[in-house]
Amino acid sequence: PNMNLRALTALYSVAIVHLILTPYTKVEESFHTQAFHDVLLGFQSPDGNDGYISSFKAYYDIYFRLFPSLEPLECSKNTTITTACIIKSSFDHLSFPGVVPRSFLPATVIATIVRPVKFALEFALGLISVSLPNKFIYQYLCRAVLGFLTCTSLSSLASSLPLSPSSKLSFILICVTQPHLLYYSTRPLPNTFALVLTTFAFSSWFRGNCLTCIYLLIVAVCTCRCDVLVLAAPVGLSMLATRKVSFARGVAAGFAAVVSSLLLAVPLDTVMWDHYSKPNPGLFGRFLWAEGVVLLYNTVENKSSEWGTSPWWWYFGSALPKALAGGSVFAVLSTVTFNLNGKESRLRLSLNTKLLPYTVPALAFVCLYSILPHKEVRFIMPALPLFNVAAAQGLGGIIDVATLSWFGDKKEKG
């Protein structure tokens, strides 16, 4: 437990430094940044009253009445206050929709966690008659919670590794010294939300809880990033090949994840995006599965290429070496076992395949993703923790041999 706390402290400290040094967001982060703002600061009714109570009515209508009305989102102060009116008055995503619709579920979860902190902060400041100069602090709070979840998932993964203590420590050191992973840990991107779920999934995988791993991966596919499917498929095949899970149980876990995820995300996004009142229903009829639309846009229609393309080798030739930094060298060394003969002090090397069931799916994920012409580092972020695990074994093996050689010699001479 103490090691986990120290690991979390180290990871989170670096993440917070990144957050403080880079407080502003870019265009890809604009939707979730605005969703944090609108959900956290309360729905506003058309009559101008505080919509906090109305927000509960809105969510109740969304989940228990499913579609409270089929009227377009056209509201005025003279209209009856309906869920549609509350959404129209409180959110601006319909006026600035972006290229594709994104799910409100991840931002809603983060904002819900932060909301009690917001009330406590405002209450404390009210006691001393001080008000916040602006609302920027709320972005810090939401991103700090997201960073905490990311770092907790990485700490959980470190503690689950079937490796030596030096390798577990190496995993933390590699994560905190890499330029991309903890920088992105607080960025309000769908990729970061997916990273949290996939890293917790890998932690379950290393602990032998394969069904939990499958469940979390599919939840990430349905609610955060549809392209996690390209990672989930090789992971599932690896589990089948190593007889860690049966095909029937794996399918059952995936099916349960699909059903539970869509039951949460589809009603919420359908209402929030006013999809049920559109005259021309989309691919899923009057229902809106946001990540399904993204999947169609990026793969089938290949419209992501309009935002730039890179050669097929870009991930392996540029993105991964930069993202992993020195970890790429140690990842290669993870396939080698270092054996030290105590009497002759001679180093012997042998093949180590211990982590191949975990690293091969990560490599397959990057290879498959390389087919898509439009490439960005953040697209392969879910695989970075697995590469770091391999790098940690390589570095940890070197540390163990060096320690044994140095202190073994000292002990014999003493």
Side-chain angles (χ1 to χ4, degrees):
N2 290 333
M3 180 181 177
N4 292 342
L5 181 59
R6 289 194 293 268
L8 178 59
T9 302
L11 292 165
Y12 196 49
S13 298
V14 176
I16 291 299
V17 170
H18 282 297
L19 171 59
I20 294 173
L21 293 179
T22 55
Y24 303 107
T25 56
K26 56 185 297 190
V27 62
E28 293 91 346
E29 304 163 21
S30 61
F31 170 75
H32 286 104
T33 301
Q34 295 175 61
F36 284 157
H37 172 277
D38 294 339
V39 175
L40 180 61
L41 298 182
F43 292 62
Q44 296 297 316
S45 299
D47 55 10
N49 295 327
D50 181 11
Y52 181 64
I53 300 300
S54 299
S55 67
F56 285 99
K57 175 183 181 300
Y59 282 122
Y60 175 84
D61 285 344
I62 289 170
Y63 285 112
F64 294 97
R65 294 176 57 196
L66 192 60
F67 303 116
S69 68
L70 296 180
E71 62 187 27
L73 295 186
E74 296 178 358
C75 307
S76 66
K77 292 185 177 181
N78 298 323
T79 61
T80 302
I81 298 178
T82 64
T83 299
C85 292
I86 294 171
I87 294 171
K88 179 67 175 179
S89 303
S90 307
F91 292 81
D92 63 358
H93 61 280
L94 294 176
S95 300
F96 307 96
V99 178
V100 289
R102 309 299 323 200
S103 177
F104 272 86
L105 188 59
T108 300
V109 171
I110 298 294
T112 301
I113 296 173
V114 174
R115 199 155 197 169
V117 180
K118 168 184 176 290
F119 289 145
L121 178 63
E122 291 177 345
F123 177 78
L125 292 176
L127 293 177
I128 57 176
S129 301
V130 175
S131 59
L132 292 173
N134 55 58
K135 298 179 289 186
F136 202 81
I137 184 65
Y138 297 127
Q139 184 195 141
Y140 274 116
L141 289 174
C142 288
R143 290 179 57 191
V145 168
L146 178 57
F148 181 79
L149 293 175
T150 307
C151 293
T152 301
S153 68
L154 291 170
S155 175
S156 175
L157 177 57
S159 65
S160 70
L161 299 178
L163 304 176
S164 66
S166 59
S167 294
K168 292 182 178 182
L169 176 61
S170 297
F171 177 82
I172 301 300
L173 292 175
I174 289 169
C175 287
V176 299
T177 55
Q178 288 175 339
H180 288 85
L181 187 60
L182 293 183
Y183 168 79
Y184 276 108
S185 67
T186 65
R187 313 303 297 186
L189 289 162
N191 312 84
T192 307
F193 298 128
L195 176 65
V196 174
L197 291 174
T198 56
T199 307
F200 274 123
F202 298 148
S203 176
S204 299
W205 189 12
F206 279 107
R207 286 188 168 91
N209 301 325
C210 293
L211 296 181
T212 303
C213 174
I214 294 172
Y215 184 89
L216 291 174
L217 288 175
I218 300 303
V219 169
V221 171
C222 295
T223 61
C224 301
R225 285 292 302 191
C226 58
D227 49 22
V228 174
L229 182 63
V230 183
L231 176 61
V235 168
L237 291 175
S238 177
M239 291 179 181
L240 291 174
T242 55
R243 300 181 182 275
K244 293 292 183 65
V245 68
S246 67
F247 180 79
R249 298 186 68 190
V251 170
F255 180 77
V258 169
V259 172
S260 57
S261 299
L262 296 186
L263 283 177
L264 285 174
V266 170
L268 176 64
D269 294 329
T270 299
V271 173
M272 296 299 286
W273 285 101
D274 190 26
H275 200 74
Y276 53 86
S277 65
K278 294 185 181 301
N280 298 316
L283 178 64
F284 307 102
R286 293 193 179 275
F287 295 92
L288 173 64
W289 176 34
E291 283 308 307
V293 175
V294 175
L295 179 65
L296 179 68
Y297 181 91
N298 286 338
T299 56
V300 178
E301 299 177 355
N302 194 25
K303 289 187 177 180
S304 61
S305 299
E306 297 175 3
W307 306 99
T309 61
S310 299
W312 64 268
W313 49 263
W314 185 79
Y315 283 128
F316 289 104
S318 179
L320 270 179
K322 291 179 180 178
L324 297 177
S328 55
V329 176
F330 297 118
V332 174
L333 292 177
S334 67
T335 59
V336 177
T337 298
F338 301 92
N339 299 308
L340 188 66
N341 188 315
K343 295 181 179 180
E344 302 176 2
S345 296
R346 183 176 299 173
L347 183 64
R348 296 183 178 179
L349 306 180
S350 59
L351 183 64
N352 188 343
T353 60
K354 182 178 183 178
L355 289 181
L356 287 183
Y358 304 96
T359 55
V360 169
L363 287 169
F365 168 67
V366 178
C367 288
L368 291 171
Y369 221 126
S370 297
I371 299 174
L372 198 66
H374 180 60
K375 298 175 175 65
E376 295 185 41
V377 174
R378 60 189 177 94
F379 293 165
I380 60 171
M381 273 204 308
L384 293 185
L386 287 180
F387 288 119
N388 284 351
V389 169
Q393 176 169 287
L395 178 57
I398 294 175
I399 294 174
D400 288 338
V401 168
T403 302
L404 180 61
S405 176
W406 176 260
F407 288 103
D409 289 345
K410 291 289 186 180
K411 186 175 180 180
E412 291 179 5
K413 290 178 182 179

